[in-house]
Amino acid sequence: MKGLPAGVLSVAAIMAALSTQAQAEPGRYQLVDTTYQFINIRGEEYQLPALILLDTSTGEMKVCSSSQYPGEVLGRDESKDYQVRACNKDFETIMEIPKAP
């Protein structure tokens, strides 16, 4: 790929490869436990883990996450805490990051 270091695939290339592979298997959605590379403006590299829900029909990707909440916040048993899981945040190929003041 042009503009990327050797051995680094773009999100679009990974998505296309997974989509092609997934079409041969039953089911429209696949969970992909992966890591992606982030390089900040200073050139510092980070490996960020992510659980992605891939719609193999459209190529749309959602980021999966979970958070813990006390029962009273969720209107449930107040003596318990609950883990809420979701895959509803779009995995954006371009993300706007506000600059620090």
Side-chain angles (χ1 to χ4, degrees), residues 50-99:
L51 182 61
I52 303 290
L53 177 67
L54 173 64
D55 181 336
T56 61
S57 179
T58 65
E60 183 178 86
M61 295 187 301
K62 302 279 186 184
V63 177
C64 300
S65 64
S66 68
S67 300
Q68 187 172 350
Y69 297 94
E72 62 268 12
V73 170
L74 300 174
R76 296 192 168 197
D77 186 340
E78 294 180 9
S79 67
K80 296 180 182 176
D81 292 330
Y82 294 86
Q83 187 180 56
V84 177
R85 291 174 230 139
C87 295
N88 57 7
K89 184 176 177 186
D90 287 335
F91 185 94
E92 301 175 24
T93 55
I94 298 178
M95 224 168 82
E96 191 174 302
I97 302 171
K99 292 191 179 218

